[in-house]
Amino acid sequence: MADVKPIDAVVYPSDEPTISVVDDATYGGAHCYVIRECLGFNDGKTQYVETEQVIRFVRKNDDGTMIPGLQSEQLVLALLDRHEKLNTRFPSEQNAKMIAGLRMFLEACEERVKNRMERGVMGELKK
């Protein structure tokens, strides 16, 4: 069994660690996360339950083999879609900031991919 470690981050306003990462020798964990599920905010605090979801990101190993998973952009596109829809029902300045931040993330991802393609290193384990 792989070593699962909590990350040094919590969801405001909770002080409860709910996100862990599966550690690995190459990256220190960056490809598989275990996240406790939530029932929302009730009675003045966020209610977490014991059930979890696992999020795996695509990984290319040093030997060239691939482990399937999500791309960061896929996860962010889902978040963008979610927050645009929530903002339609409950518009706010904070929602607009979140949407702008997610779009900025996606723009940076596109810039990175274009740069790597232009340099001929896209899909390779090269800087």
Side-chain angles (χ1 to χ4, degrees), residues 6-19:
I7 66 169
D8 187 23
V10 294
V11 178
Y12 181 83
S14 177
D15 59 0
E16 194 170 346
T18 59
I19 304 170

Side-chain angles (χ1 to χ4, degrees), residues 18-70:
T18 59
I19 304 170
S20 298
V21 65
V22 177
D23 197 15
D24 67 79
T26 305
Y27 294 95
H31 294 91
C32 185
Y33 292 83
V34 179
I35 304 172
R36 284 186 40 210
E37 294 183 312
C38 175
L39 290 174
F41 192 79
N42 296 302
D43 296 325
K45 66 182 270 187
T46 307
Q47 307 291 312
Y48 292 101
V49 294
E50 294 305 314
T51 55
E52 302 169 327
Q53 292 193 23
V54 175
I55 296 177
R56 296 183 203 290
F57 291 93
V58 63
R59 177 176 177 169
K60 186 171 194 171
N61 294 314
D62 288 342
D63 66 4
T65 59
M66 298 294 294
I67 298 173
L70 299 176

Side-chain angles (χ1 to χ4, degrees), residues 84-118:
E84 286 174 338
K85 289 173 179 169
L86 291 173
N87 193 51
T88 298
R89 183 155 183 213
F90 305 107
S92 73
E93 289 181 36
Q94 294 79 23
N95 284 342
K97 285 172 63 175
M98 287 186 277
I99 291 165
L102 292 168
R103 287 184 179 147
M104 186 185 323
F105 176 89
L106 291 168
E107 288 171 13
C109 288
E110 185 175 330
E111 288 174 16
R112 180 180 179 274
V113 169
K114 285 179 180 177
N115 176 278
R116 292 185 61 78
M117 289 173 71
E118 289 169 3

